[in-house]
């Protein structure tokens, strides 16, 4: 936990989050130092912040998450992700959605490549004419879009 807050507040938050390592009273350059140190040890760092002081660390971290509702515009611009409702409890949902999104992307790429490869083979063999080939290609694009649209309603069970 890297925070500009006092040690007592930082320890309370760390206990609630079950974190062992706490660095309180950090200035922006201190946060950059700690992030750099963790990244040199090949750790992936996720920085969550809301203020101007967090912007450099949000940018340097592997993933920067800004509190978009009450956070500063600079922090939101520096971050990779902005939480609209500022509820830290949404992080598990965000991580689950990110995993589901990557699965969907891989599935869509696989489906598209297999469909296009099959269509090319069928076109070479003369089974598909150019018009039908174009229709198959567009139908595949629609299927990928529809499959991706299911992410809009996704909720972790």
């Amino acid at each position: 936990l890297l925070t500009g807050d006092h040690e007592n507040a930082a320890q309370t938050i760390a206990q609630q989050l079950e974190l062992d390592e706490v660095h309180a009273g950090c200035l922006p350059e201190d946060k950059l130092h700690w992030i750099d140190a963790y990244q040199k040890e090949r750790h992936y760092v996720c920085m969550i912040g809301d203020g101007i002081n967090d912007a450099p660390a949000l940018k340097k971290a592997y993933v920067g998450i800004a509190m978009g509702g009450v956070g500063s515009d600079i922090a939101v611009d520096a971050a990779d992700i902005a939480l609209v409702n500022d509820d830290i409890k949404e992080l598990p949902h965000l991580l689950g959605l990110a995993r589901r999104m990557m699965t969907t992307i891989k599935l869509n790429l696989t489906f598209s490549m297999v469909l296009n490869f099959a269509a090319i083979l069928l076109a070479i063999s003369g089974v598909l004419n150019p018009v039908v080939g174009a229709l198959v290609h567009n139908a595949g694009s629609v299927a990928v879009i529809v499959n991706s649209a299911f992410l809009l309603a996704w909720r972790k069970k």
Side-chain angles (χ1 to χ4, degrees):
L1 175 66
L2 302 175
T3 180
D5 293 335
H6 296 289
E7 185 71 30
N8 292 340
Q11 288 297 336
T12 301
I13 292 169
Q15 287 174 351
Q16 291 175 355
L17 297 174
E18 299 178 9
L19 297 175
D20 298 329
E21 202 166 335
V22 179
H23 304 284
C26 292
L27 297 171
E29 55 270 13
D30 298 330
K31 293 176 186 177
L32 288 174
H33 164 75
W34 283 110
I35 290 172
D36 192 46
Y38 285 118
Q39 288 176 337
K40 284 182 180 173
E41 293 176 7
R42 302 228 182 255
H43 293 287
Y44 293 107
V45 177
C46 176
M47 175 67 186
I48 303 169
D50 64 350
I52 293 171
N53 293 338
D54 294 325
L58 289 168
K59 198 66 163 169
K60 183 156 184 72
Y62 185 74
V63 176
I65 301 174
M67 301 299 203
V70 297
S72 73
D73 290 341
I74 293 172
V76 171
D77 287 343
D80 301 303
I81 301 168
L83 294 178
V84 178
N85 64 359
D86 290 336
D87 189 359
I88 198 83
K89 294 176 187 171
E90 290 294 325
L91 283 180
H93 172 75
L94 175 67
L95 294 174
L97 180 59
R99 287 186 189 100
R100 179 67 184 151
M101 182 186 65
M102 290 306 297
T103 301
T104 300
I105 289 171
K106 291 173 186 173
L107 180 70
N108 287 344
L109 285 172
T110 302
F111 171 75
S112 296
M113 288 190 289
V114 168
L115 180 67
N116 287 334
F117 184 71
I120 289 169
L121 291 178
L122 290 173
I124 290 171
S125 66
V127 174
L128 288 180
N129 65 40
V131 173
V132 175
L135 289 173
V136 167
H137 176 74
N138 287 333
S141 297
V142 169
V144 165
I145 291 168
V146 168
N147 188 40
S148 298
F150 287 124
L151 288 171
L152 294 171
W154 183 85
R155 290 282 175 230
K156 191 172 184 178
K157 296 171 177 117

